[in-house]
Short mmCIF file of all heavy atoms in Angstrom, two decimals:
data_model
loop_
_atom_site.label_atom_id
_atom_site.label_comp_id
_atom_site.label_asym_id
_atom_site.label_seq_id
_atom_site.Cartn_x
_atom_site.Cartn_y
_atom_site.Cartn_z
N MET A 1 0.79 -1.19 -0.01
CA MET A 1 0.01 -0.02 0.02
C MET A 1 0.84 1.30 -0.03
O MET A 1 0.43 2.29 -0.52
CB MET A 1 -0.93 0.01 1.18
CG MET A 1 -1.86 1.18 1.31
SD MET A 1 -2.98 1.35 -0.06
CE MET A 1 -3.87 2.82 0.38
N ALA A 2 2.10 1.21 0.51
CA ALA A 2 2.94 2.40 0.62
C ALA A 2 3.23 3.02 -0.75
O ALA A 2 2.90 4.16 -0.98
CB ALA A 2 4.15 2.10 1.40
N PRO A 3 3.87 2.33 -1.66
CA PRO A 3 4.13 2.92 -2.94
C PRO A 3 2.88 3.25 -3.73
O PRO A 3 2.83 4.19 -4.47
CB PRO A 3 5.03 1.90 -3.66
CG PRO A 3 4.74 0.63 -2.98
CD PRO A 3 4.45 0.95 -1.59
N ALA A 4 1.86 2.39 -3.58
CA ALA A 4 0.59 2.71 -4.22
C ALA A 4 -0.01 4.06 -3.79
O ALA A 4 -0.46 4.85 -4.54
CB ALA A 4 -0.44 1.58 -3.93
N THR A 5 0.19 4.35 -2.49
CA THR A 5 -0.20 5.63 -1.91
C THR A 5 0.57 6.77 -2.60
O THR A 5 0.08 7.82 -2.99
CB THR A 5 -0.06 5.71 -0.41
OG1 THR A 5 -0.87 4.75 0.20
CG2 THR A 5 -0.38 7.08 0.15
N GLY A 6 1.86 6.56 -2.75
CA GLY A 6 2.73 7.53 -3.37
C GLY A 6 2.32 7.82 -4.81
O GLY A 6 2.28 8.98 -5.21
N LEU A 7 2.02 6.77 -5.60
CA LEU A 7 1.58 6.95 -6.95
C LEU A 7 0.25 7.67 -7.04
O LEU A 7 0.08 8.61 -7.91
CB LEU A 7 1.57 5.58 -7.65
CG LEU A 7 1.29 5.67 -9.15
CD1 LEU A 7 2.33 6.45 -9.93
CD2 LEU A 7 1.10 4.27 -9.78
N LEU A 8 -0.69 7.30 -6.22
CA LEU A 8 -2.00 7.97 -6.24
C LEU A 8 -1.83 9.41 -5.83
O LEU A 8 -2.55 10.26 -6.37
CB LEU A 8 -2.93 7.21 -5.24
CG LEU A 8 -3.50 5.89 -5.84
CD1 LEU A 8 -4.00 4.97 -4.67
CD2 LEU A 8 -4.60 6.14 -6.78
N THR A 9 -0.91 9.69 -4.90
CA THR A 9 -0.65 11.11 -4.50
C THR A 9 -0.15 11.87 -5.76
O THR A 9 -0.53 13.04 -5.98
CB THR A 9 0.38 11.11 -3.39
OG1 THR A 9 -0.11 10.48 -2.26
CG2 THR A 9 0.78 12.54 -3.08
N ALA A 10 0.73 11.23 -6.51
CA ALA A 10 1.24 11.91 -7.71
C ALA A 10 0.13 12.18 -8.72
O ALA A 10 0.13 13.30 -9.32
CB ALA A 10 2.37 11.04 -8.36
N GLU A 11 -0.77 11.25 -8.92
CA GLU A 11 -1.88 11.48 -9.84
C GLU A 11 -2.84 12.61 -9.29
O GLU A 11 -3.25 13.44 -10.02
CB GLU A 11 -2.68 10.18 -10.05
CG GLU A 11 -1.91 9.20 -10.92
CD GLU A 11 -1.88 9.61 -12.31
OE1 GLU A 11 -2.78 10.25 -12.87
OE2 GLU A 11 -0.81 9.29 -12.99
N LEU A 12 -3.12 12.58 -8.07
CA LEU A 12 -3.99 13.58 -7.45
C LEU A 12 -3.37 14.98 -7.54
O LEU A 12 -4.01 15.95 -7.84
CB LEU A 12 -4.29 13.20 -5.99
CG LEU A 12 -5.24 12.03 -5.74
CD1 LEU A 12 -5.16 11.57 -4.34
CD2 LEU A 12 -6.67 12.36 -6.16
N LYS A 13 -2.09 15.02 -7.19
CA LYS A 13 -1.34 16.30 -7.22
C LYS A 13 -1.21 16.90 -8.55
O LYS A 13 -1.29 18.12 -8.80
CB LYS A 13 0.05 16.09 -6.60
CG LYS A 13 0.81 17.40 -6.29
CD LYS A 13 2.10 17.00 -5.44
CE LYS A 13 2.80 18.31 -5.03
NZ LYS A 13 3.37 19.04 -6.19
N GLY A 14 -1.07 15.98 -9.60
CA GLY A 14 -0.84 16.47 -10.95
C GLY A 14 -2.12 16.73 -11.73
O GLY A 14 -2.06 17.30 -12.84
N TYR A 15 -3.28 16.42 -11.17
CA TYR A 15 -4.54 16.52 -11.90
C TYR A 15 -5.05 17.99 -11.82
O TYR A 15 -5.42 18.47 -10.71
CB TYR A 15 -5.61 15.59 -11.36
CG TYR A 15 -6.91 15.73 -12.10
CD1 TYR A 15 -7.11 14.99 -13.34
CD2 TYR A 15 -7.92 16.44 -11.56
CE1 TYR A 15 -8.28 15.12 -13.99
CE2 TYR A 15 -9.16 16.53 -12.32
CZ TYR A 15 -9.32 15.90 -13.45
OH TYR A 15 -10.48 16.01 -14.15
N ALA A 16 -5.07 18.67 -12.92
CA ALA A 16 -5.64 20.08 -13.09
C ALA A 16 -5.34 20.89 -11.88
O ALA A 16 -6.25 21.40 -11.17
CB ALA A 16 -7.22 19.92 -13.26
N PRO A 17 -4.07 21.13 -11.53
CA PRO A 17 -3.71 21.89 -10.38
C PRO A 17 -4.17 23.38 -10.49
O PRO A 17 -4.20 23.90 -11.55
CB PRO A 17 -2.18 21.86 -10.32
CG PRO A 17 -1.76 21.53 -11.74
CD PRO A 17 -2.88 20.72 -12.24
N GLN A 18 -4.55 23.90 -9.30
CA GLN A 18 -5.00 25.30 -9.28
C GLN A 18 -4.05 26.11 -8.44
O GLN A 18 -3.64 25.71 -7.34
CB GLN A 18 -6.37 25.44 -8.59
CG GLN A 18 -7.54 24.91 -9.44
CD GLN A 18 -8.81 25.43 -8.93
OE1 GLN A 18 -9.20 26.60 -9.02
NE2 GLN A 18 -9.63 24.59 -8.34
N ALA A 19 -3.61 27.27 -8.95
CA ALA A 19 -2.72 28.13 -8.17
C ALA A 19 -3.42 28.58 -6.93
O ALA A 19 -4.62 28.77 -6.86
CB ALA A 19 -2.39 29.37 -9.06
N GLY A 20 -2.62 28.69 -5.86
CA GLY A 20 -3.21 29.12 -4.57
C GLY A 20 -3.93 28.11 -3.77
O GLY A 20 -4.60 28.44 -2.84
N THR A 21 -3.78 26.80 -4.13
CA THR A 21 -4.35 25.70 -3.36
C THR A 21 -3.34 24.61 -3.24
O THR A 21 -2.37 24.58 -4.01
CB THR A 21 -5.64 25.14 -4.04
OG1 THR A 21 -5.27 24.44 -5.21
CG2 THR A 21 -6.66 26.21 -4.29
N ARG A 22 -3.52 23.75 -2.20
CA ARG A 22 -2.70 22.59 -2.12
C ARG A 22 -3.51 21.44 -1.49
O ARG A 22 -4.53 21.65 -0.85
CB ARG A 22 -1.45 22.86 -1.26
CG ARG A 22 -1.69 23.06 0.23
CD ARG A 22 -0.42 22.94 1.03
NE ARG A 22 -0.54 23.16 2.39
CZ ARG A 22 -0.91 22.23 3.31
NH1 ARG A 22 -1.12 21.00 2.96
NH2 ARG A 22 -0.99 22.57 4.64
N ILE A 23 -2.95 20.25 -1.62
CA ILE A 23 -3.56 19.08 -0.98
C ILE A 23 -3.39 19.20 0.58
O ILE A 23 -2.24 19.30 1.04
CB ILE A 23 -3.00 17.77 -1.50
CG1 ILE A 23 -3.46 17.55 -2.96
CG2 ILE A 23 -3.50 16.56 -0.65
CD1 ILE A 23 -2.86 16.32 -3.60
N ALA A 24 -4.43 19.09 1.28
CA ALA A 24 -4.38 19.11 2.81
C ALA A 24 -4.69 17.82 3.42
O ALA A 24 -4.28 17.51 4.54
CB ALA A 24 -5.32 20.20 3.34
N ARG A 25 -5.49 16.97 2.70
CA ARG A 25 -5.83 15.61 3.22
C ARG A 25 -5.98 14.70 2.08
O ARG A 25 -6.51 14.99 0.99
CB ARG A 25 -7.17 15.71 3.97
CG ARG A 25 -7.50 14.39 4.70
CD ARG A 25 -8.94 14.01 4.63
NE ARG A 25 -9.34 13.61 3.28
CZ ARG A 25 -10.57 13.24 2.95
NH1 ARG A 25 -11.53 13.22 3.91
NH2 ARG A 25 -10.85 12.89 1.71
N ILE A 26 -5.41 13.47 2.26
CA ILE A 26 -5.68 12.37 1.38
C ILE A 26 -6.27 11.20 2.16
O ILE A 26 -5.75 10.82 3.19
CB ILE A 26 -4.38 11.92 0.62
CG1 ILE A 26 -3.82 13.06 -0.15
CG2 ILE A 26 -4.67 10.71 -0.22
CD1 ILE A 26 -2.56 12.67 -0.95
N SER A 27 -7.36 10.73 1.71
CA SER A 27 -8.07 9.61 2.34
C SER A 27 -8.16 8.45 1.33
O SER A 27 -8.57 8.55 0.21
CB SER A 27 -9.53 9.97 2.67
OG SER A 27 -10.30 8.87 3.16
N LEU A 28 -7.61 7.29 1.78
CA LEU A 28 -7.50 6.14 0.88
C LEU A 28 -8.25 4.91 1.51
O LEU A 28 -7.98 4.58 2.65
CB LEU A 28 -6.06 5.72 0.62
CG LEU A 28 -5.19 6.86 0.02
CD1 LEU A 28 -4.24 7.38 1.12
CD2 LEU A 28 -4.33 6.35 -1.10
N ASP A 29 -9.16 4.34 0.75
CA ASP A 29 -9.86 3.14 1.22
C ASP A 29 -9.42 2.02 0.34
O ASP A 29 -9.40 2.01 -0.89
CB ASP A 29 -11.34 3.32 1.01
CG ASP A 29 -11.95 4.30 2.06
OD1 ASP A 29 -11.70 4.07 3.28
OD2 ASP A 29 -12.60 5.28 1.68
#
């Protein structure tokens, strides 16, 4: 689950980023 979390983080972070915002919480089921 650890590297899978990293890869999902990369996809979430890179998806249509908006200036002036950042990821504050990631919830994985």
Side-chain angles (χ1 to χ4, degrees):
M1 181 61 181
T5 298
L7 185 61
L8 284 159
T9 298
E11 286 290 325
L12 290 164
K13 191 172 186 291
Y15 181 82
Q18 289 197 70
T21 68
R22 72 162 176 88
I23 293 176
R25 188 220 69 179
I26 298 180
S27 172
L28 305 104
D29 289 305

